[in-house]
């Protein structure tokens, strides 16, 4: 695992208006983008789960969102506003640090954690127009503090609080999603509750040729579910739906949640992960925080027997460690990684 060293995109953006050939992506305009179809991804009001009079209706709404969209937004959730705002502030400050300081946290061969880019597997492949900081956050023994920033001074404490609160929200969502699939809670708890959480902080600089680059290549996430927080108000996330790219409009204070490949496998295809990508802006930077939630490291990844029934398993079963090694050593290319898991 690990990525090859690449140039700092933030520095490239500041130095010249000419985009290096390695960042030019012919596929960026290969599929049409829906300008305004009057439809947004489903919105789930988490507070309704806490009310016995509305929880069943909201659970049904969540079930349909997972089946038909694979993406939804969560409002009125349990993550305190002050925890979110502090994390946003420190992320902004981190990416504004001098390049020399950020490079002290650079990724090393064999480890995906640190500052740089992910999924760079060859010296001649096309690159994303983004700089990232990727960290394991939960459980604590999975952390490698050598890659955790010490500036801003409050970054580590802010991330510790943020990761714990987001994991609590993710655990609750996963429980509801599992019940919607009529799974025994014990089956869910065994794989989910002591799982691994990692965080990817994304910085997408403005680009003078924004229509010719991609901030994040089209892909589906490899985890159970991902919770994305928009740090500023610049849009860029798009999901693929009916062959077209569909812009996601983040609601203030909401988390954008998507089903990952592992959940599609566990559910034997009843819930599906969705291809998505990030485009960039010509004038303004974009920042986001994606928090990934996966099963425990020694879990077996395969369709749950309770959901296979008479239809047969759609996907093969592998251990989680091998699954993630294969994912991070592969170039992002739509859902091609998940296709390799099919029986």
């Amino acid at each position: 695992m690990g990525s090859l060293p690449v140039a700092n995109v933030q520095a490239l953006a500041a130095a010249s208006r000419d985009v290096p050939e390695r960042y030019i992506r012919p596929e960026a305009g290969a599929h049409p983008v829906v300008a305004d179809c009057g439809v947004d991804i489903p919105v789930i009001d988490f507070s309704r789960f806490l009310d016995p009079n509305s929880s069943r209706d909201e659970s049904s709404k969540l079930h349909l969102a997972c089946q038909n969209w694979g993406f939804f937004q969560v409002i009125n959730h349990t993550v305190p506003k002050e925890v979110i705002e502090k994390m946003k502030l420190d992320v902004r400050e981190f990416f504004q640090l001098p390049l020399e300081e950020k490079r002290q946290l650079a990724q090393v061969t064999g480890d995906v954690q640190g500052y740089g880019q992910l999924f760079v597997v060859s010296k001649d492949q096309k690159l994303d127009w983004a700089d990232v900081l990727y960290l394991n956050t939960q459980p604590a023994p999975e952390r490698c503090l050598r890659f955790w920033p010490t500036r801003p001074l409050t970054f580590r404490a802010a991330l510790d609080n943020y990761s714990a609160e987001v994991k609590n929200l993710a655990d609750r969502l996963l429980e509801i999603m599992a019940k919607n699939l009529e799974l025994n809670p014990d089956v869910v708890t065994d794989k989910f509750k002591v799982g691994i959480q990692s965080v990817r902080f994304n910085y997408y600089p403005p680009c003078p040729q924004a229509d010719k680059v991609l901030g994040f290549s089209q892909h589906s996430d490899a985890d159970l579910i991902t919770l994305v927080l928009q740090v500023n108000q610049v849009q860029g996330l798009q999901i693929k739906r009916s062959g077209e790219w569909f812009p996601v409009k983040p609601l203030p204070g909401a988390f954008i949640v998507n089903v990952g490949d592992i959940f599609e496998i566990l559910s034997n295809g009843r819930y599906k992960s969705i291809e998505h990508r990030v485009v960039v802006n010509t004038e303004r930077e974009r920042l986001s925080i994606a928090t990934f939630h996966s099963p425990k490291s020694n879990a077996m990844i395969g369709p749950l027997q309770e959901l296979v029934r008479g239809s047969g398993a759609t996907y093969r079963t592998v251990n989680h460690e091998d699954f993630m090694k294969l994912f991070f050593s592969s170039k992002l290319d739509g859902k091609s990684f998940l296709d390799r898991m099919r029986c």
Side-chain angles (χ1 to χ4, degrees), residues 1 5 19 114 138 142 146 162 186 206 239 250 256 264 274 281 296 313 328 332:
M1 293 193 299
V19 177
Q138 300 286 348
E142 295 288 335
R146 173 252 185 274
Y162 180 81
D186 291 339
I239 66 174
I256 300 169
E264 176 169 337
I274 302 298
N281 193 278
K296 57 187 179 182
F328 278 114
L332 291 181

Side-chain angles (χ1 to χ4, degrees), residues 44 49 54-68 176 180 271:
I44 303 300
F49 293 126
S54 59
S55 60
R56 178 172 295 183
D57 287 344
E58 205 66 14
S59 292
S60 296
K61 188 177 177 182
L62 175 59
H63 183 52
L64 291 174
C66 293
Q67 283 186 319
N68 300 334
I176 299 168
N180 284 340
Y271 288 173

Side-chain angles (χ1 to χ4, degrees), residues 7-15 19 23 95-96 102 115 117 128-132 202-210 213-215 232 234 278-287:
N8 173 265
V9 179
Q10 189 174 2
L12 283 175
V19 177
Y23 292 89
F95 280 110
Q96 294 305 317
K102 290 180 288 192
Y115 175 73
Q117 277 201 11
D128 290 338
W129 191 258
D131 293 325
V132 307
N202 306 294
Y203 180 89
Y204 305 101
C207 179
Q209 295 177 292
V213 304
L214 287 175
N232 60 0
V234 178
V278 173
V279 297
V280 300
N281 193 278
T282 56
E283 299 178 355
R284 298 180 60 194
E285 65 187 14
R286 179 177 180 268
L287 295 97

Side-chain angles (χ1 to χ4, degrees), residues 104-105 111 113-114 133-151 155-157 159-160:
Q104 294 176 13
L105 308 175
D111 198 336
Q113 296 189 81
L133 175 67
Y134 185 90
L135 301 171
N136 288 340
T137 46
Q138 300 286 348
E142 295 288 335
R143 298 175 179 178
C144 183
L145 294 181
R146 173 252 185 274
F147 296 109
W148 283 49
T150 54
R151 291 188 61 201
F155 190 100
R156 292 186 174 188
L159 179 54
D160 187 51

Side-chain angles (χ1 to χ4, degrees), residues 293-312:
H293 298 86
S294 298
K296 57 187 179 182
S297 57
N298 63 347
M300 297 303 293
I301 306 301
L304 295 172
Q305 290 304 308
E306 296 88 341
L307 300 178
V308 172
R309 298 172 185 167
S311 60

